[in-house]
Amino acid sequence: MGLREILVPTDAGFFNLIEALTDVVMTGVETFHELVVEYQRLENYYSKIKSLEHQADNLVHEIHDRLNKSFITPFDHADISSLVSKLDDILDIVDGAALRMKNYKVPHTTKAMVLLSAALQDATKEVRAAVLCLRRLTKSPQMLQHFMEIHRLENMADELSREAVANLFNGSGPQDFLSFIKYKEIYELIETAVDKTEDVANVLSAIQLKNT
């Protein structure tokens, strides 16, 4: 046990709530990938994502309420608040992408959407693994490996998104203007969700540096 663990009591409740939020985000991302792959079941998958988004909002509220009532916390108040906000951003963007696919009546998904949503799913798995390391930071050198993999996946998603948008411009995708706008926006939203996983990794890295 390190000096910090002796001097600062660990509130397991924060860890439980943050891990629960991460699990909800992970499930939402997995559901979005399933939506993209099995697009004929859009309505069912979207309903599940919306329900998960509400669960995440409730957990974020509970964590912030606990922060407001706690003097001693496992990490800085601001770091915990930033972490849960960045985690929630991932699911909010996924919900937004699914909603646009539904409201815009996108006729079908594309190979690029499948690849982007798979990259998002893999990056979120790495986020979840890194979050689980928070309980024992001094014994979690593998956190760096998770950060490196998130960074790799974020770079891959950037490239996939650029290529998908370029294909729209060069005529490989939908030819009408409205479809062009719809697909471009969805590609960019999914890529932004992957960017948010790297934002989470950056917050986790800052927490690790401050507390080890």
Side-chain angles (χ1 to χ4, degrees):
M1 181 178 290
L3 179 60
R4 190 177 190 282
E5 285 81 359
I6 296 171
L7 295 177
V8 180
T10 298
D11 185 346
F14 279 107
F15 293 115
N16 294 339
L17 288 168
I18 291 168
E19 289 169 8
L21 174 61
T22 308
D23 285 344
V24 171
V25 173
M26 182 76 253
T27 303
V29 168
E30 289 172 342
T31 304
F32 180 72
H33 180 61
E34 291 168 353
L35 179 156
V36 172
V37 173
E38 301 178 50
Y39 193 58
Q40 69 278 10
R41 297 179 60 196
L42 168 64
E43 291 289 345
N44 290 338
Y45 285 128
Y46 177 71
S47 294
K48 183 177 178 181
I49 290 169
K50 179 54 68 176
S51 175
L52 290 163
E53 196 265 339
H54 288 318
Q55 289 180 44
D57 285 345
N58 289 336
L59 284 165
V60 169
H61 177 77
E62 187 174 351
I63 293 167
H64 283 140
D65 186 57
R66 194 183 192 99
L67 278 173
N68 291 334
K69 295 176 180 177
S70 300
F71 178 71
I72 297 176
T73 57
F75 315 114
D76 289 348
H77 280 63
D79 288 335
I80 295 174
S81 179
S82 179
L83 176 59
V84 301
S85 175
K86 302 296 185 186
L87 284 166
D88 191 45
D89 284 346
I90 298 170
L91 190 51
D92 283 345
I93 294 170
V94 163
D95 175 67
L99 179 62
R100 283 163 177 77
M101 294 166 80
K102 176 177 177 290
N103 287 349
Y104 293 175
K105 300 188 186 304
V106 171
H108 58 81
T109 56
T110 64
K111 180 181 178 181
M113 287 183 193
V114 173
L115 293 174
L116 280 165
S117 62
L120 173 59
Q121 181 174 243
D122 289 345
T124 308
K125 286 179 181 176
E126 294 297 325
V127 164
R128 183 179 183 278
V131 166
L132 291 176
C133 294
L134 283 174
R135 290 180 187 263
R136 301 298 296 276
L137 279 176
T138 57
K139 296 185 178 180
S140 298
Q142 68 268 34
M143 282 189 83
L144 178 59
Q145 296 173 6
H146 298 310
F147 299 155
M148 291 173 65
E149 182 62 8
I150 291 166
H151 181 66
R152 184 189 72 80
L153 289 162
E154 191 273 334
N155 284 339
M156 185 176 77
D158 281 348
E159 183 60 33
L160 286 169
S161 180
R162 283 194 294 267
E163 182 179 350
V165 172
N167 286 338
L168 291 174
F169 277 100
N170 65 29
S172 300
Q175 299 301 303
D176 64 288
F177 180 73
L178 285 178
S179 293
F180 174 94
I181 295 299
K182 293 174 186 178
Y183 280 95
K184 181 175 182 292
E185 184 174 348
I186 292 165
Y187 291 146
E188 291 174 347
L189 275 172
I190 303 172
E191 192 271 325
T192 300
V194 183
D195 287 346
K196 292 297 180 180
T197 66
E198 189 163 47
D199 288 347
V200 173
N202 290 337
V203 175
L204 289 170
S205 179
I207 291 173
Q208 185 182 40
L209 286 172
K210 291 178 184 178
N211 296 279
T212 56

